[in-house]
Amino acid sequence: MWESILERLENGEMPPDGEPQPTDKDRAAVAKWIESALRDAVNARPTQTPLARRLTNFEYENTVRDLLGFELKLIDSLPKDPFKPYRFNNTAELMQMGQEQIDRYLECARRAMASAIVDPAKPEIHKSRREWKAYGLDRGLGADEISPWGNRRNTPAWGMGLKSFPKTGEYRIRVKASAILPPDITELPLRLVMGYGLNVNSATQQIEPVGTVRLKNSPDDPQVFEFRGRIENHPAQPGRVVNGQRRPDTMTITPQNLYDDGTLNDGRRDLAMPRAVVEWIEFEAPLTDAWPPEHHTRILFESPLRESDPQAYVRAVLQRFMSRAYRRPATREEIDRFVKVYKLVAPELGTLEAAMRETLAMVLVSPQFMYHTIENEDTSRQFELASKLSYFLWGSMPDDELLSLAEEQKLDDAEVIAHQVRRLLKDRRSRDFIHNFTWQWLSLSKLKTVPINRELFPRFLYYVSAGERAGTEVPYRPTIRDHMIGETVGFVAELIRRNASVLSIVDSNFAVLNQPLAAHYGVEGIQGDELRPIAVKPEHRLGGLLTHGSILIGNGTGTAPHPIYRAVWLREAILGDEVPAPPADVPALSDSAGESAEKALTIKDLLAKHRQKESCRECHIRLDPWGIPFERYNAIGRFQPMVPKEGTRVSRFDKKTHKDLAGYAAYLNSINTVEVQAGAEVPQGPEVDGLTELKAFLLSKHEDDIARNILRRLLTYGIGRELTWRDRFAVAELLKQSKKDEHRFQDMIVAICQSETFRGK
């Protein structure tokens, strides 16, 4: 409570407007008195007891991957982790463990060990091959050609069916392919997916990507591309029962032409668009080039003990596996416990491999694996710190280098920590941290839940092969909303990679775009589906997070921009404020204003009426001005300075009337005749008109708030608990250091990992 009072005083929000105000001297004296008492309270009990917290589903899947040496998709088999907007789900109070979770974890552990430990005899090898001839069809496409809409009969389910494949093991898919590229188009993304139900009429579609290549070679120079993966990660369609006999499960490998210039739904243009040419596809699984595979011999390693002293061998296997699974040396007592488990199951299961699968599955549901490493009488704090670093920056277990440093007691050295942080951030596994952190920090999940108004935005969502279909996105092809999530995650990743200032989240001189996104935002000259940093100009009206489609759509209604949603996002996600939920008895915006949004002259007028209500004024007078400057960005995240006048009916796209998307855009421009009002007087600030002026104000007057917010969020995510008033002064010291370093992103992360708060001193 006292910290909240102090923050209100410092922000000038207390006493409220209209009440007698203290002098600056008196305000500073009261603030100093409160701060002094808070500091005394912290010094009286400087440390906080760490809380046990289990691995999140994201951390669990990554840890199993790095422990076993191959990737298994397990998250969908686990109960969903909790969700709270703008908060992280890896905090101790949210990471509870129930009976259902234990049962699911045991099921996943058995699946994992069934894949990791194989039987001694080489398995049956399953092979398939299909070839396509280059003869023409009625539509003009060769049988070996794939347009962005697929091939035969307008279905994208053009590929190779598998009626024979193993239950587990690594597969290899080889494809001989090239591309027919029209002038000025340099590449075509060809993706392979594997699963079932990939056709227009299928009621159920379950697929997983195999991989993507970007074809630049012509049919005169066909090339062979190879993909590898685990067959367990791809869904198989259960075989039907016919005359009492169950037919084999089936699966299909489907190549997809993912070329997208932002106008793919603008009529069929098969021969005018880039086409992939696939001559043949080969499938083989499981791979037995080395048998047993490496992931097996990493667990059941070669040793003379296996024959001379089987019990000693079992113990050695357990000691090695458990120490890696626990992220610190397993104790003698812990190993003894699982030796007993092995002895219990071995007589029934018969073989070393089968008994060890079950025993190690039990290791993977033990608390020492399922929970984060915490220092205790058997555990060095160094191993706890190694795990903290890796789960913060990788979302996974520490690697051999971190564990070796922990064993050598070197992780107390600040320079060693700095080097390790930068090493971890350079590793590809840091992408998992950046995606997970950004997804939760900015509450990006809202993007996919907003129903887009198809009457106003008929071409935002499309069904690629046959025009629109109920305005929904196809589940088997990347959509503009997928690209928008990639844009936001990629932007944060680029800031970290460049060690740029965290203030760039408000404004930047680059955006992360690909061709479909560039077309959506109106940026010309961008080709290819790969997201990458692109320099932006003032006329693009991009830069920073505030103009990202993921943010603007996720904080809108799908019909119109919503200044309240966007204001809450700005204050919570960027400025770090805590915006209270509206009281239950407060009516909705349109109801309290006495008229609907459609009848109001402008959203600015509507909000002004809303603030006249006594029950609404207190919050909205501090909230509305932050959202109104977003008004020139519409419900699908495009800059739109003009809108139709009140009562105008917007026609849907019609090929006869509008001919193409350019014609439809011209029609929309012709009816947009009313200028959008986006000016507001921000709290304790000037009148700002639009996002450009709002960004400038934020950077000039709220630099510390923005940097402090990012710092607090990184620290919260890194230590796995919500910060309290006891962390106030530690955060202040980190902010002071960050300011000296110009708030550079990587440097901020390094300072956090070096801090006593993170290390638990």
Short mmCIF file of all heavy atoms in Angstrom, two decimals, residues 243-262:
data_model
loop_
_atom_site.label_atom_id
_atom_site.label_comp_id
_atom_site.label_asym_id
_atom_site.label_seq_id
_atom_site.Cartn_x
_atom_site.Cartn_y
_atom_site.Cartn_z
N ASN A 243 -15.25 -54.68 -42.78
CA ASN A 243 -15.55 -56.11 -42.59
C ASN A 243 -14.82 -56.67 -41.36
O ASN A 243 -14.28 -57.78 -41.39
CB ASN A 243 -15.17 -56.91 -43.84
CG ASN A 243 -15.97 -56.49 -45.06
OD1 ASN A 243 -17.14 -56.13 -44.93
ND2 ASN A 243 -15.35 -56.55 -46.23
N GLY A 244 -14.79 -55.87 -40.32
CA GLY A 244 -14.18 -56.33 -39.08
C GLY A 244 -12.67 -56.25 -39.04
O GLY A 244 -12.06 -56.54 -38.02
N GLN A 245 -12.07 -55.81 -40.14
CA GLN A 245 -10.62 -55.70 -40.22
C GLN A 245 -10.22 -54.22 -40.24
O GLN A 245 -10.77 -53.44 -41.02
CB GLN A 245 -10.08 -56.39 -41.48
CG GLN A 245 -10.34 -57.89 -41.52
CD GLN A 245 -9.49 -58.63 -40.51
OE1 GLN A 245 -8.34 -58.27 -40.27
NE2 GLN A 245 -10.06 -59.67 -39.91
N ARG A 246 -9.26 -53.86 -39.38
CA ARG A 246 -8.79 -52.47 -39.34
C ARG A 246 -7.67 -52.28 -40.36
O ARG A 246 -6.65 -52.96 -40.32
CB ARG A 246 -8.30 -52.10 -37.95
CG ARG A 246 -7.96 -50.63 -37.78
CD ARG A 246 -7.63 -50.32 -36.33
NE ARG A 246 -7.32 -48.91 -36.12
CZ ARG A 246 -6.12 -48.37 -36.31
NH1 ARG A 246 -5.12 -49.12 -36.70
NH2 ARG A 246 -5.93 -47.08 -36.10
N ARG A 247 -7.88 -51.36 -41.25
CA ARG A 247 -6.88 -51.08 -42.27
C ARG A 247 -5.72 -50.28 -41.66
O ARG A 247 -5.88 -49.64 -40.61
CB ARG A 247 -7.51 -50.30 -43.42
CG ARG A 247 -8.51 -51.14 -44.21
CD ARG A 247 -9.05 -50.38 -45.39
NE ARG A 247 -9.92 -51.20 -46.21
CZ ARG A 247 -10.57 -50.79 -47.29
NH1 ARG A 247 -10.45 -49.51 -47.68
NH2 ARG A 247 -11.35 -51.60 -47.97
N PRO A 248 -4.57 -50.27 -42.31
CA PRO A 248 -3.41 -49.54 -41.76
C PRO A 248 -3.68 -48.04 -41.67
O PRO A 248 -4.45 -47.48 -42.43
CB PRO A 248 -2.29 -49.84 -42.77
CG PRO A 248 -2.74 -51.06 -43.50
CD PRO A 248 -4.22 -51.01 -43.55
N ASP A 249 -2.99 -47.42 -40.71
CA ASP A 249 -3.04 -45.96 -40.62
C ASP A 249 -2.41 -45.36 -41.87
O ASP A 249 -1.56 -45.99 -42.53
CB ASP A 249 -2.28 -45.47 -39.39
CG ASP A 249 -2.91 -45.93 -38.09
OD1 ASP A 249 -4.04 -46.47 -38.13
OD2 ASP A 249 -2.27 -45.78 -37.03
N THR A 250 -2.81 -44.14 -42.20
CA THR A 250 -2.28 -43.48 -43.39
C THR A 250 -1.76 -42.09 -43.04
O THR A 250 -2.12 -41.49 -42.03
CB THR A 250 -3.35 -43.36 -44.48
OG1 THR A 250 -4.46 -42.62 -43.97
CG2 THR A 250 -3.82 -44.73 -44.95
N MET A 251 -0.92 -41.59 -43.91
CA MET A 251 -0.33 -40.27 -43.75
C MET A 251 0.05 -39.78 -45.14
O MET A 251 0.32 -40.59 -46.04
CB MET A 251 0.91 -40.37 -42.85
CG MET A 251 1.41 -39.06 -42.28
SD MET A 251 2.90 -39.28 -41.26
CE MET A 251 2.23 -40.15 -39.86
N THR A 252 0.05 -38.48 -45.33
CA THR A 252 0.37 -37.91 -46.64
C THR A 252 1.46 -36.85 -46.50
O THR A 252 1.42 -36.03 -45.58
CB THR A 252 -0.87 -37.27 -47.29
OG1 THR A 252 -1.88 -38.27 -47.46
CG2 THR A 252 -0.53 -36.66 -48.64
N ILE A 253 2.43 -36.89 -47.41
CA ILE A 253 3.44 -35.83 -47.52
C ILE A 253 2.97 -34.89 -48.62
O ILE A 253 2.78 -35.31 -49.77
CB ILE A 253 4.82 -36.39 -47.87
CG1 ILE A 253 5.27 -37.41 -46.82
CG2 ILE A 253 5.85 -35.27 -48.00
CD1 ILE A 253 6.51 -38.18 -47.22
N THR A 254 2.79 -33.63 -48.28
CA THR A 254 2.23 -32.67 -49.23
C THR A 254 3.17 -31.50 -49.43
O THR A 254 3.50 -30.80 -48.46
CB THR A 254 0.87 -32.14 -48.73
OG1 THR A 254 0.00 -33.24 -48.48
CG2 THR A 254 0.25 -31.21 -49.77
N PRO A 255 3.62 -31.25 -50.66
CA PRO A 255 4.41 -30.03 -50.92
C PRO A 255 3.46 -28.85 -51.15
O PRO A 255 2.43 -28.98 -51.81
CB PRO A 255 5.18 -30.38 -52.19
CG PRO A 255 4.37 -31.42 -52.87
CD PRO A 255 3.54 -32.12 -51.84
N GLN A 256 3.84 -27.70 -50.62
CA GLN A 256 3.00 -26.50 -50.73
C GLN A 256 3.82 -25.35 -51.31
O GLN A 256 4.91 -25.06 -50.84
CB GLN A 256 2.48 -26.07 -49.36
CG GLN A 256 1.59 -27.08 -48.67
CD GLN A 256 1.20 -26.58 -47.29
OE1 GLN A 256 2.06 -26.26 -46.49
NE2 GLN A 256 -0.08 -26.50 -47.01
N ASN A 257 3.25 -24.71 -52.31
CA ASN A 257 3.81 -23.48 -52.85
C ASN A 257 3.29 -22.33 -51.98
O ASN A 257 2.11 -21.99 -52.02
CB ASN A 257 3.35 -23.32 -54.31
CG ASN A 257 3.84 -22.03 -54.94
OD1 ASN A 257 4.29 -21.11 -54.27
ND2 ASN A 257 3.71 -21.95 -56.27
N LEU A 258 4.16 -21.73 -51.18
CA LEU A 258 3.75 -20.69 -50.24
C LEU A 258 3.97 -19.28 -50.77
O LEU A 258 3.95 -18.32 -49.98
CB LEU A 258 4.49 -20.86 -48.90
CG LEU A 258 4.18 -22.12 -48.10
CD1 LEU A 258 4.88 -22.06 -46.75
CD2 LEU A 258 2.68 -22.30 -47.90
N TYR A 259 4.18 -19.15 -52.07
CA TYR A 259 4.38 -17.79 -52.59
C TYR A 259 3.15 -16.94 -52.29
O TYR A 259 2.01 -17.36 -52.50
CB TYR A 259 4.63 -17.81 -54.10
CG TYR A 259 4.83 -16.42 -54.65
CD1 TYR A 259 6.07 -15.80 -54.54
CD2 TYR A 259 3.78 -15.72 -55.24
CE1 TYR A 259 6.26 -14.50 -55.01
CE2 TYR A 259 3.96 -14.44 -55.72
CZ TYR A 259 5.20 -13.83 -55.60
OH TYR A 259 5.38 -12.56 -56.05
N ASP A 260 3.38 -15.73 -51.81
CA ASP A 260 2.28 -14.83 -51.42
C ASP A 260 2.75 -13.40 -51.63
O ASP A 260 3.64 -12.93 -50.92
CB ASP A 260 1.91 -15.08 -49.95
CG ASP A 260 0.72 -14.25 -49.49
OD1 ASP A 260 0.27 -13.37 -50.26
OD2 ASP A 260 0.24 -14.48 -48.36
N ASP A 261 2.15 -12.73 -52.60
CA ASP A 261 2.52 -11.33 -52.84
C ASP A 261 1.52 -10.37 -52.22
O ASP A 261 1.54 -9.18 -52.49
CB ASP A 261 2.65 -11.05 -54.34
CG ASP A 261 1.34 -11.26 -55.09
OD1 ASP A 261 0.32 -11.60 -54.44
OD2 ASP A 261 1.32 -11.08 -56.32
N GLY A 262 0.64 -10.90 -51.36
CA GLY A 262 -0.36 -10.07 -50.71
C GLY A 262 -1.65 -9.95 -51.50
O GLY A 262 -2.60 -9.33 -51.04
#
